[in-house]
């Protein structure tokens, strides 16, 4: 089982940028497809982005496409989420997740595809 710890969240103004990090331990990160999800108060967990095992392919939710970028550094066992042009509706707890690479990347919009989750980091965007 891989353990995941997110960091980098905070309070920012609309239009600002943040970079979230997810540090993995216990297993090599290269074993997994990695994803980011978010959950706002009163809403279900929402898919944000996923990245293939080597970082050669990425996949984004419609609400963040063009603004967010997922990347990974397997040598550092770390995955990142660069968030630009932040909007108040981006306010949520952001979670990273690791999934076994059973399926094509587009399948990983489903939270159920991921077996390991971090505890989350809060991102708050003020208007």
């Amino acid at each position: 089982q891989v353990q995941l710890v997110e960091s980098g969240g905070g309070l920012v103004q609309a239009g600002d940028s943040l970079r979230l990090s997810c540090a993995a331990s216990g297993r090599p990160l290269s074993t997994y497809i990695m994803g980011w999800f978010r959950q706002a108060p009163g809403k279900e967990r929402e898919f944000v982005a996923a990245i293939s095992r080597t970082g050669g392919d990425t996949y984004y939710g419609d609400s963040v496409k063009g603004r967010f970028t997922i990347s990974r550094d397997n040598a550092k066992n770390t995955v990142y989420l660069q968030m630009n042009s932040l909007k108040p509706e981006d306010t949520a707890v952001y979670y990273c997740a690791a999934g076994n690479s059973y399926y094509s990347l587009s399948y990983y919009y489903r939270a159920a595809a991921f077996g390991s989750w971090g505890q989350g980091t809060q991102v708050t965007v003020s208007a």
Side-chain angles (χ1 to χ4, degrees):
Q1 186 75 26
V2 63
Q3 291 77 49
L4 305 172
V5 179
E6 303 95 335
S7 63
L11 174 63
V12 298
Q13 294 180 284
D16 285 354
S17 297
L18 280 175
R19 188 178 73 160
L20 306 183
S21 298
C22 176
S25 61
R27 297 291 299 166
L29 195 65
S30 60
T31 303
Y32 304 100
I33 289 174
M34 298 298 298
W36 287 95
F37 289 75
R38 66 187 184 186
Q39 189 164 21
K43 294 188 176 181
E44 294 186 342
R45 194 161 294 190
E46 177 189 16
F47 171 72
V48 174
I51 188 166
S52 61
R53 290 168 57 205
T54 62
D57 199 11
T58 57
Y59 175 46
Y60 297 94
D62 289 341
S63 63
V64 306
K65 190 175 181 65
R67 299 188 297 122
F68 291 9
T69 303
I70 187 171
S71 62
R72 67 193 298 162
D73 187 338
N74 288 340
K76 295 182 178 180
N77 265 1
T78 302
V79 63
Y80 305 96
L81 185 69
Q82 178 67 45
M83 305 185 295
N84 297 329
S85 301
L86 283 163
K87 305 174 181 180
E89 51 262 46
D90 295 319
T91 295
V93 177
Y94 283 72
Y95 301 89
C96 66
N100 291 317
S101 58
Y102 296 147
Y103 313 109
S104 60
L105 189 63
S106 61
Y107 181 80
Y108 289 84
Y109 75 94
R110 300 176 180 267
F114 295 88
S116 298
W117 294 82
Q119 296 302 304
T121 185
Q122 176 72 48
V123 173
T124 302
V125 184
S126 63

